[in-house]
Short mmCIF file of all heavy atoms in Angstrom, two decimals:
data_model
loop_
_atom_site.label_atom_id
_atom_site.label_comp_id
_atom_site.label_asym_id
_atom_site.label_seq_id
_atom_site.Cartn_x
_atom_site.Cartn_y
_atom_site.Cartn_z
N LYS A 45 23.79 21.89 3.13
CA LYS A 45 24.64 20.79 3.60
C LYS A 45 23.99 19.44 3.16
O LYS A 45 24.72 18.57 2.54
CB LYS A 45 24.89 20.80 5.08
CG LYS A 45 25.45 22.20 5.57
CD LYS A 45 25.60 22.23 7.08
CE LYS A 45 24.35 22.08 7.95
NZ LYS A 45 23.40 23.24 7.77
N THR A 46 22.80 19.26 3.64
CA THR A 46 22.15 17.98 3.23
C THR A 46 22.04 17.85 1.73
O THR A 46 22.19 16.71 1.18
CB THR A 46 20.73 17.92 3.89
OG1 THR A 46 20.85 17.98 5.31
CG2 THR A 46 19.98 16.68 3.49
N GLN A 88 19.70 12.86 8.03
CA GLN A 88 19.43 13.76 9.14
C GLN A 88 18.06 13.43 9.76
O GLN A 88 18.01 13.27 10.95
CB GLN A 88 19.42 15.13 8.53
CG GLN A 88 19.12 16.24 9.53
CD GLN A 88 19.11 17.69 8.94
OE1 GLN A 88 19.46 17.81 7.76
NE2 GLN A 88 18.72 18.60 9.75
N ASP A 179 25.00 12.71 8.45
CA ASP A 179 24.29 13.96 8.39
C ASP A 179 23.74 14.24 9.82
O ASP A 179 22.68 13.68 10.23
CB ASP A 179 23.15 13.90 7.36
CG ASP A 179 22.64 15.28 7.05
OD1 ASP A 179 22.98 16.27 7.77
OD2 ASP A 179 21.88 15.42 5.96
N GLU A 180 24.34 15.06 10.55
CA GLU A 180 23.97 15.53 11.94
C GLU A 180 23.77 14.31 12.81
O GLU A 180 22.70 14.15 13.44
CB GLU A 180 22.75 16.39 11.93
CG GLU A 180 22.97 17.65 11.08
CD GLU A 180 21.99 18.74 11.35
OE1 GLU A 180 21.31 18.74 12.32
OE2 GLU A 180 21.91 19.67 10.47
MG1 MG C 2 20.41 19.33 6.69
#
Side-chain angles (χ1 to χ4, degrees):
Chain A
K45 306 178 297 292
T46 297
Q88 180 182 354
D179 199 346
E180 301 198 19

